Amino acid sequence: MDWRNNVFVGSRVKYEQVYLRAYDSVAEARASIMQYVDWYTDPGPRLSLGRETPDETYAVLLPTVEMAA
């Protein structure tokens, strides 16, 4: 991930989590933001990948390596 992605994700977190909620504590804010980040980065099935996960789609493209004897 490069710096442009970090800026985009950071601004999304601020506008979708931080600015819309009134947290009672830092611990509550941290837990809520971490839950959002986990949801946002979930590698679940994607419609654009034919309902496969990124691993299912791209793992088949990797070359196979034979194990050493």
Side-chain angles (χ1 to χ4, degrees):
M1 186 181 282
D2 65 6
W3 68 269
R4 290 177 296 257
N5 292 334
N6 289 337
V7 170
F8 177 72
V9 171
S11 63
R12 279 194 73 144
V13 169
K14 284 190 283 188
Y15 286 107
E16 295 182 12
Q17 283 296 113
V18 178
Y19 296 155
L20 298 178
R21 291 168 172 55
Y23 299 110
D24 292 328
S25 67
V26 172
E28 182 185 349
R30 180 175 289 137
S32 177
I33 292 167
M34 288 307 299
Q35 184 179 14
Y36 175 81
V37 170
D38 288 343
W39 170 81
Y40 186 82
T41 59
D42 176 33
R46 302 284 192 253
L47 188 59
S48 64
L49 299 176
R51 299 198 185 276
E52 291 184 337
T53 66
D55 284 345
E56 292 169 335
T57 300
Y58 297 112
V60 297
L61 302 176
L62 296 173
T64 56
V65 177
E66 291 185 31
M67 299 296 287

